[in-house]
Amino acid sequence: MTITLTPEQETELWAEARQNSQQNLSKPFESYCQVPKQLGKGYTRSIEVHPQVWLGIGNYEYYDDILEPGCECVHPLQFCVRLSGKVIDEFGGQIGEGYTAISGGGIQPKMAFLDSQAHLGIGFSMPPELLATFFPTGDGEIPPQLRFLAKGNEWQILLYPKTTTAIQTVAQQIVNCPYHGMTKRLYLQAKVLELMALQLAPFLADQDEPQPRFRAGTVERIYQAREILLSRLENPPSLLELAQQVGVSDRTLQRGFQRLFDTTVFGYLTDKRMERAKRWLREGNRTVLDVAIMTGYSNPTHFSVAFKRKFGISPSQCRLG
């Protein structure tokens, strides 16, 4: 079952939960909040590990999946890793089960998020200007490879890098921090910086990796191409059109998808279409034929074959399950 919350309902529930959660006054840099009892059980913790850098740790279980219609708002730079459970946005972006997230600073578009019942993960947020502190350059500015993460009054960049073993290990170390007091804060600060470096590695690769090598800004353009695909799953541009929109050749676009996402542009598009089709089928209010057509298949048999190849079950079994 899926519960839909309005932004006002979500704000009210969590505000009440914070009021009812006891705080430890001996930990001035930390706050603790139990999950609203109407939604589930568990907790979230927030720790200021560095001035203006807030680390959040969540370990909870909702009674149902939660659909949260987001609002258009100014968003800080944020990094997220899930060790269990997942969040899916309405354009097909996913956090958890193989993917992390980087939400750039800027204006977040209005879009819905579906949050699964189980949750164990971490996230940290900060003003994007701090990138100049953590990745210093000679001029004191944000490194050129990372400036796209500071959009100011423009639409933010949303990225979903793949999870690596190193990223999972650091996230687990943050959750299981063995220290207390100032030692704990220093340890978590170091781990946050390590995790940031790991998640940003593909964008710093232009500078650090000799082979294969992209020109400056190409990695950003590949991610922009992916964002276009995610926003146009029903009517995607052709490979050539997509390459022209982001300013790279079709060969570079294909090579970039293979390097960053381990698949072709078409493979990535098909994969995201199937994930969305699976979500529609589980909602149970659409027929298999409807979902096939909405996914871009005029022939439901072709859709069924592709769906079973991806998930190991037929669309009808998914709908009934």
Side-chain angles (χ1 to χ4, degrees), residues 51-90:
Q52 301 186 79
V53 180
W54 286 91
L55 168 67
I57 301 174
N59 188 357
Y60 55 82
E61 184 175 349
Y62 287 139
Y63 299 132
D64 302 281
D65 291 347
I66 304 293
L67 182 64
E68 306 171 27
C71 58
E72 185 177 308
C73 57
V74 178
H75 197 279
L77 175 59
Q78 188 174 44
F79 299 78
C80 299
V81 178
R82 279 213 166 185
L83 295 168
S84 67
K86 66 179 178 180
V87 177
I88 302 174
D89 71 38
E90 65 180 278

Side-chain angles (χ1 to χ4, degrees), residues 135-146:
F135 298 91
T137 59
D139 57 7
E141 300 292 331
I142 298 173
Q145 304 98 315
L146 301 179

Side-chain angles (χ1 to χ4, degrees), residues 237-256:
S238 69
L239 178 65
L240 186 58
E241 289 171 340
L242 183 60
Q244 290 173 340
Q245 284 185 48
V246 298
V248 299
S249 69
D250 55 341
R251 181 174 178 273
T252 296
L253 185 63
Q254 283 282 34
R255 187 162 60 94

Side-chain angles (χ1 to χ4, degrees), residues 11-226:
T11 299
E12 183 178 338
L13 286 171
W14 281 96
E16 180 183 355
R18 279 191 291 271
Q19 287 181 347
N20 295 332
S21 299
Q22 293 184 347
Q23 303 301 321
N24 189 337
L25 298 180
S26 67
K27 299 180 179 179
F29 299 105
E30 296 189 33
S31 63
Y32 171 86
C33 183
Q34 291 179 319
V35 169
K37 59 184 178 181
Q38 300 92 326
L39 302 181
K41 55 186 178 181
Y43 66 87
T44 65
R45 284 188 291 146
S46 184
I47 306 167
E48 189 181 28
V49 297
H50 183 279
Q52 301 186 79
V53 180
W54 286 91
L55 168 67
I57 301 174
N59 188 357
Y60 55 82
E61 184 175 349
Y62 287 139
Y63 299 132
D64 302 281
D65 291 347
I66 304 293
L67 182 64
E68 306 171 27
C71 58
E72 185 177 308
C73 57
V74 178
H75 197 279
L77 175 59
Q78 188 174 44
F79 299 78
C80 299
V81 178
R82 279 213 166 185
L83 295 168
S84 67
K86 66 179 178 180
V87 177
I88 302 174
D89 71 38
E90 65 180 278
F91 300 127
Q94 177 177 312
I95 312 172
E97 297 187 3
Y99 297 91
T100 67
I102 302 174
S103 299
I107 306 299
Q108 184 179 74
K110 185 177 182 179
M111 59 181 175
F113 297 88
L114 182 64
D115 199 344
S116 64
Q117 291 175 260
H119 178 111
L120 175 60
I122 65 99
F124 57 94
S125 61
M126 65 183 189
E129 293 77 20
L130 283 183
L131 289 172
T133 299
F134 299 134
F135 298 91
T137 59
D139 57 7
E141 300 292 331
I142 298 173
Q145 304 98 315
L146 301 179
R147 288 175 188 167
F148 69 98
L149 294 174
K151 288 295 186 179
N153 294 323
E154 300 178 21
W155 296 113
Q156 69 171 172
I157 293 291
L158 293 172
L159 309 169
Y160 300 94
K162 283 197 170 184
T163 303
T164 64
T165 301
I167 287 175
Q168 286 182 310
T169 298
V170 174
Q172 194 71 60
Q173 289 170 338
I174 289 174
V175 171
N176 298 320
C177 174
Y179 301 106
H180 301 280
M182 293 306 297
T183 304
K184 173 181 178 180
R185 194 179 184 212
L186 183 62
Y187 175 85
L188 291 176
Q189 182 183 125
K191 288 300 172 182
V192 160
L193 292 176
E194 183 179 359
L195 188 58
M196 190 193 314
L198 290 170
Q199 286 188 264
L200 291 175
F203 310 100
L204 299 170
D206 286 354
Q207 171 179 303
D208 298 335
E209 294 184 15
Q211 291 295 333
R213 187 178 181 85
F214 286 136
R215 292 182 179 178
T218 298
V219 172
E220 177 188 349
R221 293 188 180 99
I222 302 302
Y223 274 90
Q224 288 175 339
R226 187 184 68 167

